[in-house]
Amino acid sequence: MTETDEIDFEIDPEDLEGGPGTERELGEPCLLVDDLHITYRVLGAKRIGTAAADDAKGRRFLRRLLAQGRDQVGSVREIPAVRGVSFTARRGESIGIVGINGSGKSTLLRAVAGLIPPTKGAVYVAGEPSLLGVNAVLMGKLSGERNIMIGGLALGLTQAEVRAKFDDIVEFSGIGDAVYLPMRTYSSGMSARLRFAISSAATPDILMIDEALATGDATFRQKSKARIDTVREQAGTVFLVSHSLATIESICSRVLWVHEGRLVMDGPAEDVCAAYKGFVRAKRRKS
Amino acid sequence: MEENGLARMGVRPSFRDYVRELWRRRAFIGVLATSKSQSRNQNSYLGQLWAVLTPLLNATVYVIIFGIILDTTRGMSNGIAFIVIGTFMFRFFDRSVVVGADSIRNNLSLVRSVHFPRAVLPIAQVLSELTTLLPALIVMIGVSWVSQFFPGQGPVPLDWSWFLIVPAVLLLWLFSTGCAFLVGRWVAITPDIKNLIPFAMRFLMYGSGVIFSINHLLGDHPAAKILEYQPVAVYLYLARGAIADEPTIPQDPVMWYLGVGWALLFLVVGFVMFWRGEERYGRD
Ligand SMILES: Nc1ncnc2c1ncn2[C@@H]1O[C@H](COP(=O)(O)OP(=O)(O)OP(=O)(O)O)[C@@H](O)[C@H]1O
Ligand SMILES: [Mg+2]
């Protein structure tokens, strides 16, 4: 058993043959991230358990109750999810993002897609980014057919264009007649396939994929890899967040490693993946 | 930066670009609105029949409680028509504000995955309320007409003025969209405001004479004039003037001017306010 097998239990590397094609020539810069900071503000999220109870020890019940109540009024917690990330992406590049849970990958991607305004710093983009998130179910109550229309229109296609691409999208997603059922009845793999098909239908300038490939089966992974290559060939840029290093290594030429909201490493896929693997192994040994 | 073809992300587009982009997404608005109203009655055996049944049951409840038990419309020629028109129109406004307030939060998955002018959402939400209002309007007019055969109810004759319900509803729709923009922005930025909406609505309901006539109740009190000319009361007046045949609600051009004025004022102010918050929606 190799190292890769140990970490990527959910994927067979041979599904993703071909490698990232690093030889491809890179184009102009199309994305510039300059000292990006994202801070989430969470309302009413004070800890009520230990801290409040401890310093209230010995106080009267009523006073303790009041003290706890006060903590719950108007409390705002700030969570710095991304803290000073800078990088440049070029056309035709495919960039993987790795990092442990909660390190800020999804937040970074959303900010780069312009869906969360930066707290500090700026993002400059050429073209229109399209984000494909793992939990971006469009509308669960509606049929896949409706969702294709809504998603396509939201991406800026016209109704006629969506209709023209409809068969293509259904064919690519491979869900068959299930497209006429409400999306809440889909399995997670089915909705991932449909979402991928919708988001990539418009051949966006920047395609961002947040763990959306993880639930797909082998056929789907092969298909999506082909689709990603198409986007890159048309001078688009692809971002891919995944916990499967095999996926990252086979698709991406460059990898960003994010840890606690900071960019730890930015470089060729093999180097960063190797360093990240080392980090994960060291961490596992510790625990 | 601009010379490289790179544009800064997450800044509010200029007003003109925003309007142009919104216009480009008009098909999106339509599809979103119809999908929403269709999905509303999906999980029931009777399906879309509920679009007519719900307002019919509502009308029955209002007429029994306010028209027969409480008799809030004493001295009116046809109390049933008065109450039914009032409650149906107000319900549309009430629903519009409530769904407008939630328009960002209810569509968070869409907001978080695609870039489009967020004004699409409140517009589509209110439009979807309008599409559910249409079958309700038929019920409303039908019940009003039938009411004249009940004992003690005055006539509701078929009349050309019935067509005036169309402009009245359109004006109310524009006004409601304006309100949806305003509350949509406030609630998206300060979620606490959502808890105040039901109270504001209650206040407006009693202040607009939905189930009773303000004129009858207040007479010459100075507050009566304010209550009479505030937007919601104006639209109720226009709708009642179109269908019912109350001597106290004659056709009045002043009310039509006011109706147009309020609609435009709220629409423009609401839209500008919503646009000014654009870059902050979906932040959490
Ligand atoms: N909506 C939110 N509100 C408040 N805090 C959030 C929100 N989303 C994420 N966070 C916080 O931001 C930090 C980064 O979260 P993020 O989702 O970006 O991590 P991630 O790298 O995508 O993790 P994973 O690998 O589990 O997907 C976490 O500490 C998380 O608690
Ligand atoms: Mg994530």
Side-chain angles (χ1 to χ4, degrees), chain A residues 30 40 113-115 117 121-126 128-129 131 137-139 141-142 146 150 153-155 159 184, chain B residues 1 5-9 25 27-28 31-32 34-35 39 42-43 107 109-115 118 279 283:
Chain A
C30 65
Y40 284 110
L115 301 167
V123 178
Y124 300 90
V125 185
E128 186 71 16
L131 176 70
V137 180
L138 295 170
M139 273 167 217
K141 275 187 186 172
L142 302 178
R146 273 278 165 176
I150 291 176
L153 291 173
L155 287 169
Q159 250 168 324
R184 69 185 148 75
Chain B
M1 278 319 134
L6 292 175
R8 191 166 171 170
M9 259 303 190
R25 304 293 174 108
F28 181 36
V31 169
L32 211 54
T34 45
S35 310
S39 72
Q42 216 171 40
N43 286 325
N107 295 293
S109 59
L110 207 55
V111 168
R112 290 225 180 117
S113 47
V114 209
H115 220 66
R118 306 308 186 203
E279 73 275 18
R283 170 183 269 179

Side-chain angles (χ1 to χ4, degrees), chain B:
Chain B
M1 278 319 134
E2 305 287 336
E3 62 267 29
N4 281 347
L6 292 175
R8 191 166 171 170
M9 259 303 190
V11 288
R12 180 192 334 139
S14 76
F15 190 73
R16 269 189 48 207
D17 288 349
Y18 194 70
V19 173
R20 196 179 308 133
E21 192 62 17
L22 194 60
W23 178 245
R24 230 166 52 76
R25 304 293 174 108
R26 60 194 184 281
F28 181 36
I29 297 177
V31 169
L32 211 54
T34 45
S35 310
K36 279 201 186 298
S37 43
Q38 274 172 16
S39 72
R40 196 165 301 145
N41 292 316
Q42 216 171 40
N43 286 325
S44 55
Y45 288 111
L46 294 181
Q48 296 306 318
L49 203 53
W50 283 109
V52 178
L53 286 181
T54 314
L56 203 56
L57 291 174
N58 266 320
T60 315
V61 170
Y62 291 132
V63 166
I64 291 177
I65 293 185
F66 297 113
I68 298 175
I69 301 181
L70 295 178
D71 196 14
T72 53
T73 54
R74 211 166 301 140
M76 221 156 290
S77 140
N78 188 323
I80 294 182
F82 185 90
I83 289 177
V84 168
I85 298 172
T87 46
F88 274 47
M89 298 313 263
F90 188 78
R91 196 177 140 83
F92 166 69
F93 170 71
D94 184 57
R95 290 285 314 152
S96 298
V97 171
V98 170
V99 295
D102 274 335
S103 54
I104 301 286
R105 196 146 294 264
N106 280 350
N107 295 293
L108 215 51
S109 59
L110 207 55
V111 168
R112 290 225 180 117
S113 47
V114 209
H115 220 66
F116 57 87
R118 306 308 186 203
V120 161
L121 298 174
I123 298 178
Q125 294 277 23
V126 176
L127 196 61
S128 111
E129 289 302 321
L130 186 69
T131 57
T132 44
L133 176 68
L134 296 183
L137 273 183
I138 294 170
V139 172
M140 179 185 99
I141 294 175
V143 171
S144 302
W145 186 75
V146 168
S147 70
Q148 60 187 314
F149 303 113
F150 282 78
Q153 301 295 337
V156 182
L158 279 173
D159 195 84
W160 286 111
S161 75
W162 281 23
F163 285 106
L164 289 176
I165 193 72
V166 175
V169 167
L170 287 181
L171 287 176
L172 177 60
W173 166 58
L174 294 179
F175 169 73
S176 305
T177 305
C179 293
F181 282 139
L182 286 175
V183 291
R185 183 203 154 124
W186 293 333
V187 171
I189 288 168
T190 318
D192 303 49
I193 291 178
K194 198 178 158 217
N195 296 329
L196 301 180
I197 289 178
F199 300 105
M201 282 302 160
R202 243 0 73 182
F203 206 66
L204 266 175
M205 177 165 171
Y206 293 115
S208 312
V210 173
I211 46 173
F212 52 80
S213 163
I214 297 178
N215 277 345
H216 285 209
L217 222 66
L218 290 183
D220 286 335
H221 194 277
K225 278 279 168 274
I226 300 175
L227 292 184
E228 206 183 331
Y229 293 129
Q230 50 94 354
V232 180
V234 168
Y235 295 116
L236 293 184
Y237 184 101
L238 293 180
R240 282 171 178 149
I243 305 291
D245 194 30
E246 289 295 331
T248 50
I249 310 180
Q251 284 299 332
D252 183 355
V254 174
M255 283 302 200
W256 283 101
Y257 295 141
L258 271 174
V260 173
W262 282 129
L264 290 182
L265 180 72
F266 273 78
L267 198 62
V268 171
V269 171
F271 183 69
V272 171
M273 290 280 287
F274 193 87
W275 161 71
R276 287 169 58 100
E278 179 77 2
E279 73 275 18
R280 298 167 68 182
Y281 304 136
R283 170 183 269 179
D284 271 298

Side-chain angles (χ1 to χ4, degrees), chain A:
Chain A
M1 225 163 118
T2 65
E3 273 314 320
T4 332
D5 287 333
E6 224 176 286
I7 294 171
D8 303 306
F9 49 89
E10 92 269 85
I11 196 164
D12 310 319
E14 59 268 27
D15 291 344
L16 299 156
E17 266 160 25
T22 20
E23 338 61 58
R24 196 173 288 136
E25 234 171 72
L26 297 180
E28 315 246 278
C30 65
L31 177 76
L32 202 150
V33 177
D34 178 23
D35 190 31
L36 182 71
H37 288 253
I38 303 285
T39 305
Y40 284 110
R41 282 158 46 92
V42 183
L43 301 182
K46 271 259 173 73
R47 234 197 279 217
I48 39 168
T50 49
D54 278 349
D55 66 45
K57 213 174 264 170
R59 282 192 226 166
R60 290 281 156 86
F61 172 73
L62 190 65
R63 277 176 60 193
R64 197 157 71 207
L65 208 65
L66 283 177
Q68 279 191 11
R70 204 162 45 231
D71 284 347
Q72 290 298 299
V73 174
S75 69
V76 177
R77 264 188 71 187
E78 302 217 322
I79 302 170
V82 174
R83 306 190 267 188
V85 170
S86 306
F87 64 91
T88 312
R90 296 173 172 279
R91 289 189 189 282
E93 227 174 354
S94 63
I95 301 179
I97 302 180
V98 295
I100 57 170
N101 290 138
S103 52
K105 304 181 295 294
S106 304
T107 310
L108 177 63
L109 222 51
R110 273 201 230 134
V112 170
L115 301 167
I116 314 178
T119 316
K120 198 179 144 220
V123 178
Y124 300 90
V125 185
E128 186 71 16
S130 154
L131 176 70
L132 177 67
V134 73
N135 44 11
V137 180
L138 295 170
M139 273 167 217
K141 275 187 186 172
L142 302 178
S143 67
E145 192 189 12
R146 273 278 165 176
N147 272 299
I148 291 177
M149 184 51 91
I150 291 176
L153 291 173
L155 287 169
L157 298 177
T158 66
Q159 250 168 324
E161 281 170 332
V162 179
R163 263 184 231 116
K165 284 177 192 260
F166 183 80
D167 288 334
D168 199 33
I169 293 174
V170 176
E171 153 75 17
F172 182 86
S173 69
I175 57 172
D177 276 349
V179 77
Y180 301 107
L181 293 176
M183 259 186 100
R184 69 185 148 75
T185 63
Y186 290 14
S187 75
S188 48
M190 281 159 78
S191 45
R193 296 174 82 135
L194 186 59
R195 280 196 307 266
F196 185 85
I198 296 173
S199 323
S200 59
T203 325
D205 300 307
I206 302 175
L207 179 63
M208 305 184 167
I209 305 166
D210 191 352
E211 290 177 62
L213 306 183
T215 45
D217 56 23
T219 340
F220 174 61
R221 255 176 272 152
Q222 253 161 359
K223 272 188 182 176
S224 47
K225 180 158 191 298
R227 193 49 86 81
I228 289 171
D229 286 340
T230 320
V231 171
R232 290 180 60 191
E233 262 146 36
Q234 298 181 355
T237 310
V238 177
F239 281 87
L240 174 66
V241 170
S242 177
H243 288 288
S244 151
L245 289 182
T247 312
I248 296 255
E249 275 180 330
S250 72
I251 293 179
C252 305
S253 50
R254 175 181 166 197
V255 174
L256 310 177
W257 172 11
V258 180
H259 189 65
E260 291 180 351
R262 291 201 182 84
L263 205 54
V264 180
M265 205 171 163
D266 172 2
E270 310 90 67
D271 303 356
V272 180
C273 284
Y276 180 62
K277 261 181 231 166
F279 167 77
V280 172
R281 223 175 298 136
K283 208 173 163 212
R284 195 173 346 161
R285 214 168 295 133
K286 229 182 279 169
S287 62

